[in-house]
Amino acid sequence: VGEGRRRFWEESTMLSTRFAVLMTLGVIGLAAPVAAQEWPNGDIRYILHVEPGGATDVMARRLADGLQRELGVNVVVENRAGGSGARQVAQLQRAEGDGQTIGSVAASHLGMFQQTGQFDINSVEWACGLVLDPYLLAVQADSEIESLEDLIATAKENPGSLSIAGFGENSGGHVAWMMFLEAAGLEEDAINWVPYDSVGDGVVATLGGHNQIVIAYPGLVRQHAEAGTLRVLGVMADSRLEMLPDVPTYAEKGIEVNTNWQQFRGVIMPPETPVEIQNQVCSAVEKVMQSQEMAQYIADAELVPGFMAPEEFRAFVEAQNELTTKWTQ
């Protein structure tokens, strides 16, 4: 009996040991895929707040191409224009904060937040800043308005006779226009503001004679200025642009505005996306932004490189939001 008990005990111990080893291996086997799972783990959705063809769309698609090469996954661009960004933000809010969904962002979002009250700067994560872009004013090349002085004089002599094309009420461009009006001593209704779904649409409308003026970015009007179809009147910057050396700054014409207000473009993500994921995404974005192809595009488009990581970008946006509040309320 004693020998039988001893054998039973030894066999039981061996079985228990084997079972424990198998369980350990099983647990490790189950846990391994989770631990090894890294971003990205599939196609990335890049949701834009603009229609195809505008400056933001063009840059986003270049960034998407670069991310595809850098990460080895598809980056699917989706245009969800509407509500100056409200439709896009609603899409982001329904997405998981796993880094598989990112969005475009510009100063116009801040105006939308103020206007609708539906969202605010805490509705998304401000992952990284990309570039800065100064505003400028342009008219058709054959316009009787040949300078900022002409523009101001016409608006004062015949209030409401002119219209300006821009992107959305309370957009970044609209805020810049309000700054111009105040500095020029013009009432808000002296020139009619006509909102379009994108800045590119506003440029096309002005080329077609639907508006006399457009507020846009250098990259969108350069080719038209060089082709002799648009005349740029002035740029909202501290110094003249290399690509448009004959165009004066507002200050040169005695129009003093806060040139810290510029269009910015960046990347946002769904709310509650972990900072670790944001940093991973922005690390890949920064590599693309530093690539030869993107650097050349930024130079050609006369953009100001302005990469900002999550913490810095958030602080920048908060300061811009204070300016937006001042000019939209």
Side-chain angles (χ1 to χ4, degrees):
V1 175
E3 180 64 14
R5 286 180 177 176
R6 185 180 64 79
R7 287 182 178 179
F8 176 79
W9 174 255
E10 289 176 351
E11 289 175 359
S12 297
T13 301
M14 289 176 65
L15 287 172
S16 298
T17 301
R18 288 175 182 174
F19 181 74
V21 170
L22 289 172
M23 283 296 291
T24 300
L25 291 174
V27 169
I28 293 173
L30 289 172
V34 176
Q37 191 175 40
E38 295 181 358
W39 178 86
N41 56 18
D43 291 354
I44 295 174
R45 295 176 66 201
Y46 193 179
I47 305 176
L48 311 187
H49 65 287
V50 294
E51 297 283 359
T56 297
D57 177 78
V58 171
M59 180 172 177
R61 291 179 184 276
R62 287 177 177 268
L63 177 59
D65 290 343
L67 286 173
Q68 285 189 163
R69 292 191 296 270
E70 176 69 26
L71 300 171
V73 299
N74 292 324
V75 180
V76 183
V77 176
E78 302 177 16
N79 294 86
R80 293 288 184 267
S84 298
R87 184 184 178 201
Q88 174 225 35
V89 172
Q91 290 274 323
L92 286 170
Q93 290 215 315
R94 289 193 288 268
E96 294 292 330
D98 56 5
Q100 298 303 124
T101 302
I102 63 177
S104 61
V105 71
S108 302
H109 280 72
L110 302 180
M112 179 270 290
F113 295 157
Q114 298 289 343
Q115 183 180 24
T116 67
Q118 183 180 359
F119 304 107
D120 59 32
I121 62 172
N122 298 313
S123 297
V124 295
E125 299 297 340
W126 301 85
C128 39
L130 301 177
V131 295
L132 301 173
D133 207 356
Y135 292 100
L136 53 73
L137 295 173
V139 296
Q140 283 187 315
D142 59 359
S143 171
E144 293 182 358
I145 299 173
E146 298 184 355
S147 64
L148 290 178
E149 292 95 332
D150 288 347
L151 172 62
I152 296 168
T154 302
K156 288 182 176 180
E157 292 170 7
N158 299 290
S161 64
L162 301 174
S163 65
I164 180 169
F167 171 56
E169 200 78 20
N170 288 338
S171 64
H174 191 223
V175 171
W177 176 240
M178 298 291 286
M179 289 180 174
F180 174 85
L181 289 177
E182 182 183 74
L186 294 171
E187 297 295 329
E188 186 174 346
D189 58 358
I191 299 175
N192 300 311
W193 174 266
V194 182
Y196 287 85
D197 289 334
S198 74
V199 179
D201 289 342
V203 172
V204 172
T206 303
L207 285 167
H210 301 290
N211 307 280
Q212 293 77 38
I213 320 156
V214 64
I215 186 166
Y217 318 121
L220 281 182
V221 304
R222 178 184 185 180
Q223 60 178 322
H224 303 296
E226 292 176 345
T229 53
L230 281 181
R231 176 189 300 129
V232 183
L233 303 180
V235 60
M236 187 175 171
D238 291 328
S239 59
R240 295 193 180 197
L241 305 179
E242 290 185 11
M243 73 157 68
L244 299 167
D246 296 329
V247 177
T249 65
Y250 287 5
E252 287 180 62
K253 296 298 182 176
I255 301 168
E256 299 293 340
V257 296
N258 185 349
T259 53
N260 289 329
W261 179 258
Q262 294 190 33
Q263 176 64 282
F264 66 83
R265 299 179 203 161
V267 174
I268 51 178
M269 300 179 72
E272 299 183 6
T273 299
V275 174
E276 294 77 11
I277 294 293
Q278 293 182 51
N279 284 329
Q280 281 185 286
V281 172
C282 290
S283 177
V285 168
E286 185 176 18
K287 288 180 182 178
V288 174
M289 294 299 292
Q290 292 175 344
S291 68
Q292 183 176 352
E293 295 84 355
M294 282 299 289
Q296 187 62 54
Y297 166 75
I298 290 171
D300 291 342
E302 198 75 15
L303 299 171
V304 179
F307 180 83
M308 290 176 269
E311 185 176 352
E312 182 184 4
F313 189 40
R314 174 76 188 204
F316 170 83
V317 169
E318 288 176 349
Q320 293 289 304
N321 192 52
E322 291 181 7
L323 280 174
T324 306
T325 301
K326 173 184 176 182
W327 290 99
T328 59
Q329 302 217 343

